[in-house]
Amino acid sequence: LGFIPLITPVVLIVFAMLFVFIGSRLRNYMRLKYDISSGPCGCMGGHCGDLCCMICCGCCASIQMARHTHDDKEYPGYCCTVDGLPIDAPSIV
């Protein structure tokens, strides 16, 4: 049982790396799909900027992605649905 304390940090590091990788890929996909600019920094555009956003503050970047997918004032978040919105909310194409 001496290896169990070693597994916990390794698992946490792997999950953190997966979160950053998948989050940056999703952020880049959403920017391209919804034609969202990469920001004023020319060097931070594209995958590099998305990766930096997920590394520096992944929670903030995730919230920003969620805010870009629907109008929270007209259709507030809804629990226990497939997309987190009320049943009558239109889907974004």
Side-chain angles (χ1 to χ4, degrees):
L1 293 186
F3 64 91
I4 299 239
L6 180 63
I7 291 177
T8 305
V10 171
V11 169
L12 289 175
I13 290 170
V14 168
F15 278 122
M17 290 173 63
L18 278 173
F19 175 76
V20 167
F21 176 75
I22 292 171
S24 64
R25 299 283 299 184
L26 178 64
R27 183 177 166 85
N28 186 267
Y29 171 77
M30 287 182 66
R31 275 192 323 95
L32 294 175
K33 181 176 181 178
Y34 298 115
D35 197 28
I36 300 170
S37 69
S38 59
C41 298
C43 64
M44 295 303 288
H47 295 290
C48 180
D50 297 327
L51 184 64
C52 288
C53 286
M54 290 304 293
I55 289 172
C56 292
C57 189
C59 296
C60 297
S62 300
I63 291 169
Q64 183 183 31
M65 288 187 289
R67 291 180 61 109
H68 277 285
T69 58
H70 77 283
D71 183 9
D72 197 40
K73 291 182 177 124
E74 188 172 347
Y75 300 102
Y78 200 77
C79 184
C80 303
T81 60
V82 175
D83 56 2
L85 297 173
I87 303 296
D88 62 339
S91 62
I92 295 177
V93 179

